[in-house]
Amino acid sequence: MQFKKWIIALPLVVGLLSGCSLLEKLVYRIDIAQGNYVEQEAVDKLRFGMTKQQVQFVMGTPMLVESGYPNTWYYIYLFTHGHEKSVQKNLIVHFDDNGNLTSIDGVFPMSDSFFEKI
């Protein structure tokens, strides 16, 4: 009789514990990188007045260009390392109506030479 209780109780306990966050750390999770990997070195190459083609040559193709706002480009990078929290880095590039670079926003600061001539 005692053996039958263990046969029923053991799978039940293992099943309940498998949903706990304590055991979740034992499961391997791969690192996930999504979007445009942006480095400060590339952002430092951007200059006021650059054309869209020049910016795309330096930074690569943007992750998002909204159809209603074609003069705003979004470079978005999301990285998740295993069980840790995700890290998101954004760079937003603004152009004027002629397609020339006017400003940048996001976690990457403008270089001191941003307003120097190309």
Side-chain angles (χ1 to χ4, degrees):
M1 188 69 160
Q2 190 75 342
F3 183 69
K4 288 183 181 180
K5 287 182 185 177
W6 279 106
I7 289 177
I8 294 171
L10 188 62
L12 184 63
V13 169
V14 170
L16 290 174
L17 287 178
S18 66
C20 293
S21 61
L22 296 173
L23 295 179
E24 181 183 350
K25 299 288 184 182
L26 298 175
V27 177
Y28 176 74
R29 284 194 181 173
I30 61 170
D31 296 340
I32 300 173
Q34 297 176 322
N36 302 96
Y37 181 71
V38 177
E39 292 182 343
Q40 184 64 45
E41 182 179 310
V43 176
D44 290 342
K45 293 178 183 178
L46 296 178
R47 299 287 184 267
F48 181 82
M50 289 177 85
T51 64
K52 289 183 177 182
Q53 291 81 13
Q54 290 171 326
V55 172
Q56 189 169 1
F57 179 78
V58 172
M59 300 298 299
T61 305
M63 179 64 116
L64 175 66
V65 178
E66 294 183 73
S67 60
Y69 303 98
N71 292 327
T72 303
W73 289 3
Y74 297 90
Y75 291 90
I76 303 166
Y77 180 67
L78 182 70
F79 182 75
T80 306
H81 181 71
H83 292 280
E84 296 176 12
K85 284 188 143 191
S86 298
V87 175
Q88 182 171 337
K89 295 183 179 183
N90 300 327
L91 178 70
I92 304 165
V93 181
H94 302 280
F95 298 94
D96 62 11
D97 291 333
N98 296 327
N100 297 322
L101 180 63
T102 57
S103 66
I104 58 174
D105 297 320
V107 298
F108 299 96
M110 268 189 238
S111 69
D112 294 335
S113 59
F114 179 75
F115 290 105
E116 293 180 4
K117 289 192 175 192
I118 302 173

